[in-house]
Amino acid sequence: MTVKITIKKTFTSLLLTAAVSASVAQAAEVEVLHWWTSGGEAQALGTLRDTLKNQDITWKDMPVAGGGGSSAMTVLRSRVMSGNAPTAAQMMGFDILDWGDQGVTANLNAVAAAGNWDAVVPEALKRFSKSNGQWNAAPVNVHSTNWVWGNKAVLDKVGVAVPGNWDEFIQAMEKVKAAGVTPLAHGGQAWQDATVFDGVLMATGGIEFYRKAVVELDEKALTSKTMQLAFDRMRQLRTLVDDNFSGRDWNLASSMVINGEAAFQMMGDWAKGEFLNAGKVPGKDFVCFRTPGTQGTVTFNADQFAMFKVDENRRDAQIKMASAIMSPEFQIAFNTVKGSAPARTDISDAAFDNCGKKAMADLKEAGANNTLVGSMAHGHASPAAVKNAFYDVITAHFNGDMSSSEAVKQLAASVKNAI
Ligand code: BGC
């Protein structure tokens, strides 16, 4: 009889323990929607997964491939609309403000106050992380788009130096072409065309023009000769890519530079993550430099994890995730792998390689000189509808035979339509 009771008791307590740990396991879980699916990106994301694992938080992965995040944003919309928002979603710029305005994001004010985020997150990022005084997102990094990545051995072999201005850049690529190597590795996807355009526009018009055109959407700037020249330069670049560029993913274009099949790639500094992931060393195997003619200016974009309202039992893991993202240790661990600069102003550059140090120094300088501006291609210059208007015209021009004068006409018309 005694034995029976003991067994029964043990069985009940086992059941209870199982039930409790199941609910704990479920509660201590974050579901994360993101578009970090390339080798370098996955490696960087792994640092976040590991940080949370150390706190016994389970990671439910929700990857949606596609650089620039347009596809991820489409999936996110349907999830939120069907009442099934993820814990957190990778997000950029104006998209965060959009969700903040809709009242579906979680209030991170308490964890932000505890971590003193207001003091350490730069204003350029904070204006997107917060709406109406409420923190909705934890910023992970600062990337920028006006970069060029070059294969050092190819450049040395062909005998070209790092170009100092646009004309030298084109001459260098012509020389590479004559040597039988693809000058520019590119993937013909709208967001990649637009990423290249960020740098070309800045090189062509400078900071004031860039701001007028893509931030203020000034019609005169949009239809100007300078804008036309930017499209002419896109046409120049079109002659320097290989025949199979159409639809190619950005990381495959990076691989072409990594393998010496191509000399250069014009891409944000997430490309550096691919070089590092392939075991390449900056300065030795590859070089990084600002799009010729843009040194001193930075077209930035920052990835943030926007948090959504979740059930009370999932809130703790969500807050822990937000807090972990903003910790200095995580910012260093993640950004040294990802290719980006930290999203905090108080991090030393000691752990960063030369390209990372340059990214941090350039950002600081641009911030101080008011030459830091949001990337059009990556949602930091204007809301999604306007960004898409730019995408449409830039990609139609690059991939077809539209003249530059027709492109500026169409650009002004589609931007007007989107406002
Ligand atoms: C993001 C980067 C990402 C890149 C390519 C950009 O929009 O900011 O973090 O690596 O897209 O996927």
Side-chain angles (χ1 to χ4, degrees), residues 96-97 99-101 127-136:
I96 311 175
L97 294 179
W99 285 113
D101 286 347
R127 71 169 274 235
F128 295 113
S129 331
K130 287 167 96 166
S131 333
N132 309 316
Q134 176 180 309
W135 281 92
N136 299 309

Side-chain angles (χ1 to χ4, degrees), residues 53-98:
K53 199 172 165 201
N54 289 338
Q55 298 185 43
D56 294 323
I57 296 171
T58 311
W59 181 275
K60 190 167 171 200
D61 205 30
M62 176 92 203
V64 183
S70 298
S71 309
M73 290 305 98
T74 306
V75 171
L76 177 67
R77 217 165 298 127
S78 70
R79 286 284 306 261
V80 180
M81 292 313 167
S82 62
N84 185 25
T87 315
Q90 179 192 353
M91 212 181 279
M92 296 192 294
F94 281 87
D95 290 337
I96 311 175
L97 294 179
D98 267 1

Side-chain angles (χ1 to χ4, degrees), residues 35-38 41 65-69 90-92 141 143 145 191 195 250 267-271 274 301-304 334 338 340 377-380 391:
W35 65 92
W36 284 331
T37 55
S38 77
E41 292 173 330
Q90 179 192 353
M91 212 181 279
M92 296 192 294
N141 63 12
H143 273 303
T145 54
W191 76 271
T195 302
W250 68 273
M267 188 45 63
D269 39 12
W270 47 90
E274 296 306 299
N301 63 298
D303 295 299
Q304 310 210 20
F334 179 88
K338 183 69 171 62
S340 34
H378 293 263
H380 281 71
Y391 273 28

Side-chain angles (χ1 to χ4, degrees), residues 305-320:
F305 275 112
M307 306 282 169
F308 286 85
K309 284 183 179 156
V310 287
D311 293 345
E312 208 38 56
N313 69 332
R314 288 179 176 247
R315 182 88 179 130
D316 185 51
Q318 181 178 56
I319 295 299
K320 282 186 176 145

